[in-house]
């Protein structure tokens, strides 16, 4: 049972344009959502997060949107840069208020390629 | 560099064998997490330790076990290995175990079972 799904295995965009990565979830108990970025031969690195009490969180070029009714979140990168090329993982926690929030459920990842 | 170290980087072994993966968390971090990433899969949570005690368990097989030592480093033991255990194993750490304490991942150990 895939509780967090990233239905697009890959996305290709031009430098300077917007990248939109999507993620859907099924578990209504999830209350905290995160995006991680992963380069080859490295571990995932935290990018941005959002609590279920918000619908938007912005950090520089990165914005995450949460639509709880649709159980959908998206990551917008504007403008996209070649250095953003990586695998992006969506993750969710159902224990944000507890001591095991790090028990994250990850999506399968989306490979983003930004062309110069 | 996340500050989380994992050894070894690569491990090739045969079916039926036992291996130990090691993780040193970032300085000051009390929580250690183990995740498994199989081919074309997202990361699967295995287990969490907080200051030496098991805190949460995920889809960890009975053939797998882990522990966190007094110096806070952790080891993941995989026994009676099967071909399907071939995967990337990531260790992550955080200051605590609650939201706001983001996970810092190590570079992973790639295990190949032949």
């Amino acid at each position: 049972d895939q509780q967090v799904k990233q239905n697009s295995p890959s996305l290709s965009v031009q430098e300077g344009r917007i990248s939109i990565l999507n993620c859907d979830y099924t578990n209504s108990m999830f209350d905290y959502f995160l995006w991680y970025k992963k380069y080859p031969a490295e571990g995932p690195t935290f990018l941005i997060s959002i609590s279920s009490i918000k619908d938007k969180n912005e950090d520089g070029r990165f914005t995450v949107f949460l639509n709880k009714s649709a159980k959908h979140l998206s990551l917008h990168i504007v403008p996209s840069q070649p250095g953003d090329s990586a695998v992006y993982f969506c993750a969710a926690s159902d224990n944000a208020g507890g001591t095991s929030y790090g028990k994250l459920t990850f999506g399968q990842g989306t490979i983003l390629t930004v062309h110069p | 560099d996340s500050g989380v170290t994992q050894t070894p980087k690569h491990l090739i072994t045969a079916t039926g064998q036992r291996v130990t993966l090691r993780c040193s968390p970032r300085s000051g971090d009390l929580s250690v997490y183990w995740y498994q990433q199989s081919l074309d899969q997202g990361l699967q949570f295995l287990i969490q330790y907080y200051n030496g005690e098991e805190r949460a368990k995920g889809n960890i097989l009975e053939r797998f076990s882990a522990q966190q030592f007094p110096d806070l480093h952790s080891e993941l033991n995989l026994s009676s290995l099967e071909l399907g255990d071939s995967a990337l194993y990531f260790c992550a750490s955080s200051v605590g175990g609650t939201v706001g304490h983001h996970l810092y991942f190590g570079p992973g150990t790639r295990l190949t079972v032949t």
Side-chain angles (χ1 to χ4, degrees):
Chain A
D1 177 25
Q2 193 78 27
Q3 297 187 59
V4 177
K5 289 184 181 179
Q6 294 176 254
N7 292 317
S8 298
S10 62
L11 175 67
S12 180
V13 300
Q14 284 298 124
E15 181 178 6
R17 306 295 290 270
I18 184 172
S19 295
I20 300 176
L21 296 101
N22 294 303
C23 177
D24 296 298
Y25 63 95
T26 57
N27 188 342
S28 58
M29 297 301 292
F30 287 145
D31 54 4
Y32 196 69
F33 303 87
L34 310 91
W35 285 93
Y36 279 83
K37 178 170 74 173
K38 184 182 180 305
Y39 293 118
E42 295 182 10
T45 55
F46 170 76
L47 195 56
I48 193 169
S49 62
I50 187 167
S51 165
S52 60
I53 62 173
K54 295 186 175 181
D55 55 17
K56 176 183 174 181
N57 189 27
E58 198 170 347
D59 184 1
R61 298 186 296 113
F62 303 92
T63 302
V64 56
F65 295 92
L66 175 62
N67 182 334
K68 281 186 297 182
S69 61
K71 292 191 177 68
H72 177 84
L73 66 156
S74 60
L75 174 68
H76 293 209
I77 306 174
V78 184
S80 300
Q81 299 173 354
D84 295 329
S85 297
V87 180
Y88 288 78
F89 290 98
C90 166
S93 169
D94 62 358
N95 199 278
T99 57
S100 296
Y101 110 95
K103 180 185 171 184
L104 300 176
T105 301
F106 281 82
Q108 310 95 306
T110 297
I111 301 171
L112 173 65
T113 304
V114 181
H115 298 283
Chain B
D1 184 357
S2 67
V4 178
T5 60
Q6 289 187 249
T7 57
K9 281 189 177 178
H10 303 277
L11 198 49
I12 301 175
T13 189
T15 55
Q17 295 299 304
R18 172 189 167 96
V19 297
T20 298
L21 313 183
R22 183 188 168 104
C23 168
S24 292
R26 291 189 322 152
S27 176
D29 284 359
L30 299 179
S31 268
V32 170
Y33 311 80
W34 287 97
Y35 281 83
Q36 177 194 56
Q37 184 184 18
S38 302
L39 191 64
D40 295 333
Q41 296 289 317
L43 285 78
Q44 302 287 322
F45 171 76
L46 295 178
I47 197 164
Q48 175 201 1
Y49 280 85
Y50 178 79
N51 204 20
E53 293 188 6
E54 183 183 303
R55 184 59 62 91
K57 228 171 183 176
N59 299 320
I60 187 166
L61 300 172
E62 285 191 11
R63 300 183 286 109
F64 296 1
S65 65
Q67 55 183 323
Q68 186 180 28
F69 294 87
D71 66 352
L72 301 177
H73 91 270
S74 178
E75 293 181 356
L76 179 66
N77 300 297
L78 315 176
S79 61
S80 303
L81 285 168
E82 302 175 358
L83 295 177
D85 297 328
S86 296
L88 262 172
Y89 290 84
F90 289 103
C91 169
S93 72
S94 66
V95 171
T98 57
V99 65
H101 298 148
H102 301 299
L103 302 190
Y104 294 85
F105 282 84
T109 292
R110 181 171 293 281
L111 173 65
T112 303
V113 182
T114 62

